[in-house]
Amino acid sequence: MKKSYYNIGSIGFVFMLTTVCGNVKAQIQIVTVTGTIKAGEKLLSGVSVSQENSNQTAATNAAGIYRLEVSGMNPVIVFRHPEFGERKIVLGNRLVVNLDFSVSLESLDDLDKSHSDKVQGIEEVVVSAGYYKVRDKERTGSIAKISAKEIENQPLTNVLSAAQGRMAGVSISQNSGVPGGGFDIQIRGRNSLRNKSNSEVDGNQPLYVIDGVPFGSEMTSLYSQVILPSRSINPLNSINPNDIEKIEILKDADATAIYGSRGANGVVLVTTKKGRSGKLGVTFNSSYGISQMISNLKMMNTEQYLGMRRQAFTNNNITVIPAPAYDLNGQWETNRMTDWEKVLIGNTATNNISQLSLTGGSETTSFLVSLNHNRQTTVFGEDFRYKTTGLLSQFSHRSADKKLQLNVSNNFSIQKNNIPRSDNTRQSYLLPPNAPALYNADGSINWQNNTWANPLAAYNSTYTNENRQFLTSINVQYELIPDLYVKLNGGLNYQTFDELSLQPNTMYNPAFANGQTSATSVAYQNSQDRTSIIIEPQISYLWQRNDHKIDALVGGTFQSDTSEQGSMVGIGFESNLFLSNIGAAKTKTVSDQLTKEYRYAAVFGRLNYQFKRKYILNITGRRDGSSRFGPNNKFANFGAVGAAWLFDKEKLFEKLDWLSFGKLRGSLGTAGSDNIGDHQYIDSYAISANHSYNNVTGLIPTRLYNPDYSWEKTTKLEAALEMGFFKNRLNLTAAWYRNRSSNQLIGYQLPATTGFSSVLANLNAEVENRGWEFELTARPFSGKFKWETGINITFPKNRLISFPGLEGSTYSNQYMIDRSTSIVKLYELTGIDTQTGAYVFTDFNGDGKISSPDDNRIVEDLSVQYFGGWNNSFDMGQWNFSFLFQFVKQQGRNYNNIMTIPGSMNNQPIEVLNVWSSSNPQGDYMPYTTLSNTSHNLFQNSTASVSDASFIRLKNIQLSYTIPLKSNMFRNVKIYAQGQNLLTMTNYFGLDPESSVIGFLPPLKTYSFGLQLTL
């Protein structure tokens, strides 16, 4: 089913190189004006320098120096850089103009007063809102941003790790410490009731856009559920973090409504790095890191464990140790002590990252080629590893008259993941500390006379996947007449995903039937590919006259996705050597071979009006049509209105020296979500070999038809205040938001006579997310010693406003009106019965028994109460030091939720030593027992299973040194050291408070060292 993937990549790459070779020519000009451009202590190369209303252009070299010929009366020089936007300076009588992009507008004004010059039109950071760009000071929407400075050189395989704790309103958590896994990202909360536990697709995932091309949702994994939580493989795994220039996240209606039916959960815009004009530059970056497991649990040693076991038998009045109690009856050594956490998941994982990039060009043409390779091992040991290889190529051209602009970007990546089929993390905490040695004296696996399941045998069962992706985007813009632009965005995204789950007989004890021969070996294989093509024509016009400015945009989107999927199972092989070839299996089962098509079309527009550059009105709208919805509701309209008032430009505030900037902004609008999977509204059937007639294979219905199947819609409201003080050395942003999501797509209950338990339909259920966001940034020092600091904090609140028929539905044990959608209903643990030693729970209905749904009435909210981060960066000479603390306040499921019954043949945390007895009436745990006990089952879902899961974590720390050089060979040499997740402060009872799914490997602690060379 694979297509000629490599041919597609080769053609695109060869085309780009051919274009580059034909266009890149050195253009040397006679200069009259020179200068040096920097940002703080960093010299900037590739800064575009030009004369306004002239064809004269130049670019800074590696030393930040430019030369430009100018002409005319009182010329204006324009400086452009992708990270810092555009700045204009009136030349006056000077022949040397230096610029520091890190210096604020007000500081530059004061600086230039000594030259009797006037600085005009200096604008600071430019942010992307997807289809258009806007100066940060003039935006009416809520857009969070991190740049390459926060991302680069971190020991990461996914850029979302670098974004944790850095952006207000954006909650990111890592699902697992296994490489190649997923992330849970929530942009201002969870809007949809659909998640992977009740739907094929998580309805809360944002839209990812890479260089203007929608990235699509993650590939569906069928066989990774016991190693990767929720079978989640994040789509950004295929993008090398060091290739990313910036990430912008669109949050409110003003920013997301232009994305219509795909913007309800926010939009993640990823912009990859572009080439820099000037002499050919070569950069080599390499780092080596080591990672270790984080655990907040301490388990019993052998003496404590055996004491618990003996007491359990005594409590059960068992005087003769039974035969299966191998840990006590002499089969196992009673003086043996093994720290299974250290043995099974305490290995040191390594991470090797290497990258080679080339960039260069002239004033009008630039290119970038970047090759990267990442190899990461696991803490499970053995020969498991995750490897990624990527190639990024980018070509940009601007005509001499600046009317034509062309950008072409290609991103090719291969990810290969070879890991155990199952996660041994929980097993490492359950194994008795006196369990046998893993190996016999001869090196073979030790089964200790068939008395235990050797955990190493599980490593013979593997899970592998290979993900190949080719993403190309093209952007062409032409100025037809002054300020009237036509633009075309186009993109191709081709992706293949193959996974193989192998369960050889060697994963079992050879003494048993399923472990004796390869006739019991099983192999599972799944293959998918997806091709997505998108075209977006646009036209924009900018009109300015006196105090008025109008910026208008109209465009359309046409997208076509085709995906294919097929899976098969093979059972019984002549030899395990053939296990990866299902064709060699004695019994083969081929599942449905599926082809899905998704068609999407839309028209969108934007109208932005400014008056006196201080009153701004922004209107966006979109009409969408999607093949994912029923014939009665294929189209929908979305729109938003945003406004801003730059009050610092009012005469009343202009006299305030301490106020540098002030803006009030707000927005109201709607966005939607079509992240529901394909063909969910049609009636469908599946082939069933178990339902046949006269040897004819039968069909069974799997889904009911719903012609009214429609969009989920979110109405967003926001108000915000932004202020800058003391020449923008101190900046504050405060925002309040409220999102209400209605028309929820969930399973609607049906009578049993229909043959279906439910049908997916829109219910008049409504979810609200509201909250406050605060961001404070400061530059206490900005001279030779530079200190930048910032803190952000978000207070989110989620609740279910309405759900018709909730009380009589199966959802009544999961949701409650006016409560969070992340609640759990628990039994109330009140103590331990002094007569029976059993746990005591509140019998709310007084019927003499404890059962659900009558008695689990205590409601705990597992949603985040507040979260944020505190970052600092220090620069002094050639040294840079930075760190980031992430903090989260929340409740969470603790280890009691998965704890086996204390006294059974499983190890326990040392907290279980605090057991109830007549001499210890304040004990937390019931007396040890070796027998099954319904009281313990209730305990696992009681108030004891939820506790404080708050934490403060040293998320990242970095120290780098740029070596001063006199050599002409190297432009720059930098050495650096990094740390991830080095310190966690928490009272959480469990492995790690960040992981939402307990029992899986948590995120790892990592140290890395690296070297960066620039020629």
Side-chain angles (χ1 to χ4, degrees):
M1 188 173 63
K2 294 183 182 178
K3 300 181 180 178
S4 184
Y5 180 89
Y6 293 99
N7 289 341
I8 294 176
S10 300
I11 292 173
F13 184 56
V14 171
F15 169 77
M16 190 221 67
L17 287 181
T18 304
T19 309
V20 169
C21 294
N23 283 279
V24 178
K25 299 178 181 179
Q27 299 181 10
I28 303 175
Q29 303 182 53
I30 300 175
V31 300
T32 56
V33 178
T34 63
T36 302
I37 311 299
K38 63 179 182 177
E41 299 297 324
K42 180 181 179 181
L43 298 174
L44 295 179
S45 63
V47 179
S48 173
V49 186
S50 62
Q51 180 182 350
E52 192 172 51
N53 300 320
S54 169
N55 291 333
Q56 302 298 331
T57 61
T60 56
N61 59 20
I65 298 174
Y66 71 90
R67 295 176 179 272
L68 178 70
E69 184 182 62
V70 297
S71 60
M73 297 295 294
N74 204 26
V76 176
I77 303 179
V78 183
F79 301 87
R80 296 186 181 89
H81 189 277
E83 284 190 35
F84 302 99
E86 177 181 286
R87 295 192 177 184
K88 300 179 181 179
I89 295 181
V90 178
L91 181 62
N93 297 321
R94 286 178 289 174
L95 295 179
V96 177
V97 178
N98 301 321
L99 178 63
D100 187 345
F101 271 105
S102 67
V103 178
S104 65
L105 166 60
E106 289 76 8
S107 298
L108 281 172
D109 281 339
D110 295 339
L111 182 66
D112 274 11
K113 284 177 182 177
S114 62
H115 298 285
S116 298
D117 291 331
K118 182 180 180 183
V119 180
Q120 298 180 343
I122 299 180
E123 302 295 342
E124 294 186 355
V125 177
V126 173
V127 295
S128 173
Y131 292 105
Y132 58 93
K133 293 184 178 180
V134 61
R135 294 182 176 92
D136 191 44
K137 287 187 175 182
E138 297 176 354
R139 62 179 170 86
T140 54
S142 181
I143 304 175
K145 176 186 175 181
I146 61 171
S147 66
K149 181 180 179 181
E150 290 81 30
I151 299 170
E152 63 184 4
N153 297 332
Q154 294 193 38
L156 309 171
T157 57
N158 190 301
V159 71
L160 291 178
S161 291
Q164 288 182 280
R166 295 189 183 273
M167 294 180 285
V170 182
S171 175
I172 302 173
S173 59
Q174 188 173 345
N175 291 341
S176 170
V178 177
F183 287 79
D184 178 42
I185 174 170
Q186 297 179 31
I187 302 174
R188 290 184 169 175
R190 301 183 69 87
N191 297 312
S192 177
L193 296 178
R194 290 178 296 110
N195 52 56
K196 282 198 170 182
S197 66
N198 60 22
S199 173
E200 294 182 10
V201 180
D202 184 357
N204 295 283
Q205 291 301 302
L207 172 67
Y208 295 97
V209 179
I210 315 296
D211 289 333
V213 179
F215 206 53
S217 58
E218 61 186 36
M219 284 289 198
T220 302
S221 170
L222 297 183
Y223 307 125
S224 63
Q225 62 269 21
V226 289
I227 184 64
L228 300 177
S230 302
R231 298 177 295 147
S232 178
I233 301 174
N234 190 268
L236 290 186
N237 286 348
S238 63
I239 306 295
N240 176 34
N242 282 336
D243 282 336
I244 294 176
E245 184 72 33
K246 59 182 177 179
I247 290 182
E248 287 141 324
I249 294 185
L250 314 184
K251 298 186 287 186
D252 73 328
D254 180 81
T256 61
I258 200 167
Y259 282 96
S261 65
R262 300 183 288 185
N265 300 317
V267 182
V268 180
L269 303 177
V270 178
T271 303
T272 57
K273 292 181 178 179
K274 304 296 186 288
R276 297 282 188 265
S277 298
K279 183 181 177 182
L280 178 67
V282 180
T283 300
F284 176 73
N285 197 340
S286 181
S287 66
Y288 177 81
I290 57 174
S291 301
Q292 295 175 326
M293 211 275 290
I294 300 174
S295 176
N296 205 44
L297 282 180
K298 185 176 181 181
M299 308 304 289
M300 293 181 181
N301 59 31
T302 300
E303 180 182 357
Q304 294 165 335
Y305 167 77
L306 293 180
M308 176 189 70
R309 289 281 285 158
R310 292 187 180 105
Q311 185 62 49
F313 284 114
T314 300
N315 293 340
N316 296 141
N317 297 317
I318 300 175
T319 58
V320 179
I321 303 299
Y326 308 118
D327 53 346
L328 288 174
N329 63 12
Q331 292 283 341
W332 298 355
E333 299 176 19
T334 56
N335 60 353
R336 181 180 178 80
M337 172 61 197
T338 302
D339 183 350
W340 290 111
E341 175 196 312
K342 183 177 181 180
V343 172
L344 295 180
I345 58 175
N347 296 283
T348 298
T350 61
N351 187 6
N352 297 85
I353 302 175
S354 299
Q355 181 172 10
L356 178 67
S357 61
L358 293 84
T359 183
S362 65
E363 288 85 353
T364 59
T365 303
S366 64
F367 72 93
L368 169 71
V369 179
S370 175
L371 176 67
N372 66 84
H373 180 72
N374 184 338
R375 179 183 174 187
Q376 184 174 351
T377 62
T378 74
V379 295
F380 301 117
E382 302 297 319
D383 195 30
F384 302 114
R385 58 175 48 90
Y386 174 65
K387 295 188 294 184
T388 65
T389 302
L391 176 65
L392 171 70
S393 61
Q394 194 277 336
F395 166 74
S396 298
H397 176 73
R398 173 173 51 86
S399 62
D401 60 6
K402 302 181 184 178
K403 290 187 175 182
L404 175 67
Q405 293 186 21
L406 171 66
N407 290 282
V408 180
S409 178
N410 296 305
N411 197 323
F412 171 74
S413 67
I414 302 176
Q415 304 154 67
K416 297 181 179 180
N417 205 359
N418 175 31
I419 50 181
R421 190 187 66 88
S422 60
D423 192 330
N424 249 342
T425 300
R426 190 180 181 193
Q427 185 71 2
S428 69
Y429 292 98
L430 293 180
L431 280 174
N434 70 325
L438 294 175
Y439 299 99
N440 294 311
D442 60 0
S444 60
I445 291 181
N446 176 26
W447 296 102
Q448 195 68 20
N449 299 319
N450 306 323
T451 59
W452 77 318
N454 192 312
L456 279 188
Y459 291 157
N460 290 328
S461 177
T462 61
Y463 170 80
T464 60
N465 67 49
E466 185 170 328
N467 190 357
R468 303 181 188 89
Q469 183 149 27
F470 177 75
L471 178 69
T472 185
S473 65
I474 182 170
N475 177 287
V476 183
Q477 178 178 287
Y478 186 77
E479 186 177 15
L480 292 174
I481 59 176
D483 298 322
L484 178 65
Y485 300 89
V486 291
K487 185 178 180 181
L488 178 66
N489 287 342
L492 167 67
N493 183 10
Y494 178 69
Q495 186 175 8
T496 67
F497 179 77
D498 300 299
E499 59 180 343
L500 187 64
S501 177
L502 305 180
Q503 300 180 35
N505 65 294
T506 53
M507 65 182 289
Y508 303 108
N509 189 331
F512 304 133
N514 57 358
Q516 292 179 353
T517 70
S518 58
T520 60
S521 297
V522 184
Y524 300 84
Q525 181 178 331
N526 174 47
S527 297
Q528 304 174 59
D529 67 40
R530 177 193 296 157
T531 303
S532 176
I533 300 175
I534 186 170
I535 298 175
E536 294 185 311
Q538 302 166 48
I539 184 169
S540 63
Y541 180 67
L542 179 64
W543 178 85
Q544 299 184 72
R545 182 168 298 177
N546 300 325
D547 294 330
H548 305 276
K549 178 182 177 181
I550 296 177
D551 193 350
L553 168 70
V554 177
T557 300
F558 306 94
Q559 183 174 349
S560 173
D561 284 13
T562 302
S563 59
E564 299 177 356
Q565 180 177 352
S567 60
M568 61 183 70
V569 180
I571 302 175
F573 294 81
E574 291 295 334
S575 169
N576 286 331
L577 295 174
F578 306 126
L579 195 55
S580 59
N581 178 13
I582 293 185
K586 297 177 181 178
T587 303
K588 293 175 279 291
T589 303
V590 180
S591 301
D592 293 335
Q593 307 298 295
L594 305 176
T595 299
K596 298 180 181 180
E597 294 182 347
Y598 167 56
R599 300 291 182 268
Y600 174 86
V603 291
F604 58 87
R606 172 189 181 241
L607 182 64
N608 181 275
Y609 171 69
Q610 295 187 24
F611 178 62
K612 292 187 176 181
R613 298 179 67 87
K614 58 183 178 181
Y615 307 108
I616 306 172
L617 179 68
N618 193 61
I619 302 173
T620 56
R622 190 178 186 106
R623 179 169 175 79
D624 281 353
S626 172
S627 64
R628 288 177 173 166
F629 297 101
N632 297 341
N633 289 293
K634 283 192 177 296
F635 298 91
N637 300 318
F638 306 92
V641 176
W645 172 36
L646 277 65
F647 59 83
D648 64 292
K649 296 186 178 181
E650 301 288 353
K651 293 182 179 180
L652 176 65
F653 299 100
E654 284 184 337
K655 299 178 182 180
L656 302 177
D657 294 337
W658 52 270
L659 181 65
S660 310
F661 173 70
K663 179 173 70 174
L664 278 172
R665 59 176 174 84
S667 64
L668 173 65
T670 59
S673 174
D674 74 343
N675 186 23
I676 57 172
D678 297 313
H679 311 302
Q680 298 292 303
Y681 72 91
I682 64 174
D683 48 350
S684 59
Y685 298 84
I687 297 174
S688 175
N690 297 326
H691 296 80
S692 60
Y693 181 75
N694 287 337
N695 295 323
V696 177
T697 301
L699 296 176
I700 57 173
T702 57
R703 186 184 297 116
L704 288 176
Y705 177 61
N706 181 5
D708 298 317
Y709 191 79
S710 184
W711 320 74
E712 291 182 340
K713 185 171 288 189
T714 300
T715 301
K716 302 183 178 183
L717 175 65
E718 182 191 48
L721 170 67
E722 299 178 19
M723 299 184 72
F725 306 96
F726 313 116
K727 299 181 180 180
N728 284 327
R729 296 174 73 93
L730 181 67
N731 294 276
L732 170 68
T733 299
W736 173 86
Y737 67 89
R738 189 196 70 190
N739 299 342
R740 287 189 171 179
S741 304
S742 58
N743 220 27
Q744 295 281 337
L745 276 168
I746 52 179
Y748 181 78
Q749 284 184 291
L750 295 175
T753 54
T754 64
F756 292 86
S757 59
S758 65
V759 59
L760 198 60
N762 297 94
L763 295 187
N764 193 27
E766 189 171 11
V767 176
E768 179 186 82
N769 287 282
R770 67 166 63 199
W772 287 91
E773 299 172 358
F774 299 95
E775 294 178 278
L776 181 66
T777 60
R779 291 184 293 110
F781 300 99
S782 57
K784 291 184 178 180
F785 173 69
K786 184 178 180 181
W787 174 25
E788 295 181 354
T789 184
I791 187 170
N792 71 83
I793 187 170
T794 303
F795 298 90
K797 183 68 175 179
N798 171 276
R799 67 188 181 107
L800 180 65
I801 296 178
S802 65
F803 194 135
L806 174 62
E807 290 302 322
S809 72
T810 56
Y811 296 104
S812 61
N813 203 39
Q814 186 177 357
Y815 302 118
M816 292 180 65
I817 301 299
D818 208 35
R819 301 300 295 264
S820 165
T821 58
S822 298
I823 64 169
V824 290
K825 292 187 175 182
L826 305 169
Y827 301 105
E828 184 179 34
L829 176 66
T830 58
I832 296 177
D833 191 319
T834 58
Q835 299 299 319
T836 64
Y839 295 116
V840 178
F841 305 94
T842 302
D843 184 6
F844 284 101
N845 67 348
D847 64 353
K849 59 181 181 180
I850 305 300
S851 61
S852 173
D854 297 320
D855 295 316
N856 57 338
R857 296 187 182 181
I858 301 300
V859 178
E860 290 285 355
D861 185 358
L862 302 188
S863 60
V864 174
Q865 298 176 39
Y866 63 82
F867 65 93
W870 177 43
N871 64 82
N872 287 268
S873 177
F874 304 90
D875 287 278
M876 186 171 182
Q878 310 299 318
W879 291 92
N880 173 267
F881 174 68
S882 64
F883 64 85
L884 166 69
F885 277 100
Q886 176 194 10
F887 55 86
V888 177
K889 175 65 175 178
Q890 63 184 358
Q891 294 279 99
R893 288 281 197 178
N894 59 37
Y895 193 80
N896 287 335
N897 180 240
I898 61 171
M899 179 182 289
T900 56
I901 189 166
S904 62
M905 198 171 164
N906 297 286
N907 202 5
Q908 299 288 353
I910 59 174
E911 284 79 0
V912 177
L913 294 173
N914 186 23
V915 62
W916 181 92
S917 67
S918 57
S919 60
N920 184 29
Q922 302 303 317
D924 293 328
Y925 295 91
M926 63 179 284
Y928 305 138
T929 178
T930 62
L931 306 177
S932 61
N933 190 295
T934 57
S935 178
H936 178 75
N937 296 335
L938 296 173
F939 173 82
Q940 290 178 306
N941 291 285
S942 72
T943 50
S945 69
V946 172
S947 60
D948 183 29
S950 306
F951 65 93
I952 300 174
R953 172 166 287 168
L954 180 56
K955 190 64 184 177
N956 176 262
I957 186 170
Q958 179 179 189
L959 177 66
S960 65
Y961 178 68
T962 302
I963 301 175
L965 300 171
K966 297 181 180 180
S967 169
N968 293 327
M969 180 178 180
F970 294 100
R971 299 184 189 181
N972 182 279
V973 176
K974 181 169 71 173
I975 56 176
Y976 56 88
Q978 286 249 11
Q980 292 282 121
N981 304 326
L982 297 189
L983 174 67
T984 302
M985 293 167 278
T986 182
N987 292 321
Y988 177 64
F989 178 40
L991 271 68
D992 183 74
E994 179 181 340
S995 304
S996 58
V997 183
I998 56 179
F1000 285 85
L1001 186 72
L1004 305 179
K1005 174 170 57 179
T1006 301
Y1007 305 86
S1008 71
F1009 307 89
L1011 171 69
Q1012 180 175 294
L1013 304 173
T1014 303
L1015 302 178

